Amino acid sequence: MNGYAGDKKNIQKRMHRIEGQVKAIGRMVDDDRYCIDILTQIAAVESALKSVSMLLLDDHLDHCVREAVEQGGQVADTKLQEVSEAVSRLVK
């Protein structure tokens, strides 16, 4: 089971909303809308994606990493390295 199983419906709902926002941005470009309005919507999508990312990260730490740390050894080392790399990608 994935660490986000308890939040799956919430994540799906958020991702569908984000998908709608991205499609709306495409329509704004098609309609030659004002640049700042488009940039504002892009910022909103980025913020929404960051929020979902943080939820997934929290779930991963609470479930997957916690289990790996309890097992110890190479399993723990691998999971900790994996989450460190994921955090690095998120903060770029």
Side-chain angles (χ1 to χ4, degrees), residues 48-65:
L49 282 170
K50 190 68 77 174
S51 177
V52 171
S53 296
M54 293 308 298
L55 177 60
L56 284 166
L57 180 61
D58 285 345
D59 286 345
H60 184 67
L61 288 168
D62 193 43
H63 182 265
C64 303
V65 174

Side-chain angles (χ1 to χ4, degrees), residues 4-52:
Y4 62 85
D7 286 319
K8 184 174 179 177
K9 287 184 190 274
N10 183 25
I11 292 168
Q12 289 172 319
K13 180 179 165 184
R14 289 179 180 203
M15 292 305 299
H16 285 114
R17 187 178 311 126
I18 291 166
E19 181 181 7
Q21 287 176 296
V22 170
K23 287 180 181 180
I25 292 169
R27 288 191 300 274
M28 290 175 79
V29 172
D30 291 343
D31 295 341
D32 296 321
R33 296 281 300 272
Y34 186 53
C35 302
I36 297 301
D37 293 339
I38 296 170
L39 289 169
T40 299
Q41 292 306 311
I42 290 171
V45 168
E46 289 176 336
S47 177
L49 282 170
K50 190 68 77 174
S51 177
V52 171

